[in-house]
Amino acid sequence: MAIAKVYGIETEYGIQVVGNADGNPTTASSVLINSYVSQLAGRVGWDFEDESPGRDARGYVREGSMPPEVETHLVNTVLTNGARYYVDHAHPEYSSPECATPLELVRQDKAGELVLARSMAAARRVLPPGEEIVVYKNNSDGKGNSYGCHENYLMDRTVPFARLARQVTVHLVTRQIYTGSGKVGCEASPSPTPAFEITQRADFFEEEIGLETTLKRPIVNTRDEPHADATKYRRLHVITGDANLAEVATFLKVGVTALVLLLIEDDVLSARELVLANPVQAMRAVSHDVALTRPLELVSGESITALELQWELYDAARKYAEERGLAELGPEPAGRQLLERWEAVLSGLESDPASLRHQLDWVAKLELIDAYCARHNCGLDDHRVAALDLQYHDVRPARSLFQRLDMERLVTPAEVEAAVTSPPRDTRAYFRGECLKRFGASIVAANWDSIVFDLGDDPLRRVPMMEPLRGSAAHVDTLLDGCSSPAELLRRLGA
Amino acid sequence: MAERELKKRTAPQKDAPEVEEEAPATSERGERLKAEIDDLLDEIDEVLEDNAEEFVRNYVQKGGQ
């Protein structure tokens, strides 16, 4: 049965040391994050107690698969907004706190960009003159190396995983038409005459389903690590998406995916199940189809475009919403706004994709590149085009090309600024963030589902948070305001 | 599929007023759009990394997730 959606998004940023040819990306990532957190008042490490990324949702581990390793020795911190900021696979990674609406997720994702921008400024102050650490919010270096932007969705555990995997695949493949960040040059089969493709990530998917995230990447990732009560919940870990700078793209990426998951939880999609005949091929075909006209083959024998498949999902979702509302996506107008924007963007893609140049990353980038090539009379193989492609994602305000494009905002700068230090109010991230703000000196570690306090004499005390929607401001504000010390908080919690 | 075809027909209607506008207004808007793009491209030319080839070549990442 459909349950309230809780979301998070993790972004691995590309990192470059300018002015030092020997710059090591892992060291640079540590310097970057340390520079940021050392200027903050307190600092709390991550608690690895409940990490088990090798657990497979299908109940087994396929022979030859490589469960990801947990790197416990690298910089790893929790911020007062409830986010995790750490070094992962030679990249700085920012994991947003848990959010209960798509718009809140957009706000927290943009706050992450601000944290990275401030980290770069902080790092400049400690690095030798002429050296600078620069980060990019993208997913590929254009040379065959990719790094991820993963989404997480809380789901009802009773939904059979096989059906979930089968039914979500068509959405993950076809949503690329609005989630793509655009890229020049295919990395799966490079060509001397590069073409523009819709997404950064599609080239890197080789399997339909699996546990891996760093090689032979699967469209449906089976990591089974709920970070919540495992008897009730599943956390669907989606690894196919591009990191977006456009707020509308992020909003649709997480919002529509959450809505499709509601349809799957309530088993609405089985009536007309849309199953792609070749999902991996389709993933790439959609990404390379800038005209949005290429038909995809379904196992039923039908041929249908990605855009038409999105319209099918939209029609099912609208009917579902009319019958029973979309309370699981947050208080209205959250669900209505999502449906309206989804429809408007699909209509725009259908009639005139260029009309979405202020809403979607790939359209904005394509328009910019086309205009640039027209002015300079050059082709897509020009180095300046590759530079433009990369610099679109530069997170430094003075260098970012994205920030010059007058893209539509869904959240105000003031709202984003607040999210740099304050947690979302409607999930357990609130309790985590507020405890860190108020009692940071007595907290030795925290993670998604617990906080560990050190009160001095006693053994360390762990406060579990197995319910992602408990610990919100409505639940704990009175409690927190009534506690003058962490000892009192623990006493009243009975921990 | 019926609903979808309906949408396909209705989608372009949103643009209908633009089509019906007088030609001078359209070309004025076209001019304004072109001026905006020109300004943007001027700005991009200024901010784009100087040595594009080296900049792109040096951007090599270790694979991640």
Side-chain angles (χ1 to χ4, degrees), chain A residues 235-258:
Chain A
R235 172 181 64 119
L236 184 68
H237 187 231
V238 173
I239 68 169
T240 53
D242 281 9
N244 293 113
L245 288 154
E247 294 178 14
V248 173
T250 301
F251 178 68
L252 289 180
K253 178 172 66 182
V254 297
V256 174
T257 302

Side-chain angles (χ1 to χ4, degrees), chain B residues 2-6 17 25 32-33 37 39 41-42 46 48 51-52 54 56-57 60-62 65:
Chain B
E3 270 185 291
R4 219 206 80 58
E5 269 151 31
L6 181 71
R32 203 170 58 235
L33 195 65
I37 291 172
D39 287 348
L41 289 173
D42 287 343
E46 242 167 69
L48 199 63
N51 189 338
E54 191 186 333
V56 171
R57 190 177 56 234
V60 180
Q61 298 291 298
K62 285 201 173 167
Q65 298 221 38

Side-chain angles (χ1 to χ4, degrees), chain A residues 41-44 80 430-446 451-455 463 476-493:
Chain A
R43 173 175 176 179
V44 172
T80 55
Y430 185 78
F431 183 71
R432 182 187 310 118
E434 286 298 318
C435 281
L436 285 165
K437 269 190 199 176
R438 295 165 196 238
F439 310 123
S442 301
I443 297 174
V444 290
I451 302 179
V452 180
F453 287 84
D454 182 357
L455 299 183
V463 177
V476 300
D477 251 354
T478 311
L479 171 72
L480 287 169
D481 287 343
C483 292
S484 56
S485 71
E488 191 177 351
L489 175 67
L490 291 180
R491 196 163 53 242
R492 290 180 61 177
L493 281 169

Side-chain angles (χ1 to χ4, degrees), chain A residues 164-244:
Chain A
L164 163 62
R166 200 168 65 240
Q167 295 183 346
V168 80
T169 297
V170 71
H171 173 61
L172 296 181
V173 169
T174 57
R175 70 175 190 163
Q176 293 186 93
I177 60 176
Y178 47 83
T179 64
S181 285
K183 179 172 79 171
V184 176
C186 175
E187 290 169 275
S189 47
S191 152
T193 52
F196 186 91
E197 69 175 295
I198 293 174
T199 74
Q200 300 237 320
R201 282 284 268 181
D203 290 340
F204 302 98
F205 285 81
E206 302 173 58
E207 303 278 343
E208 292 179 25
I209 184 166
L211 187 59
E212 289 85 356
T213 53
T214 57
L215 56 119
K216 287 206 245 165
R217 293 181 185 87
I219 294 169
V220 175
N221 181 251
T222 54
R223 182 181 298 182
D224 187 12
E225 205 183 9
H227 296 313
D229 183 343
T231 63
K232 293 162 68 177
Y233 303 119
R234 175 181 305 291
R235 172 181 64 119
L236 184 68
H237 187 231
V238 173
I239 68 169
T240 53
D242 281 9
N244 293 113

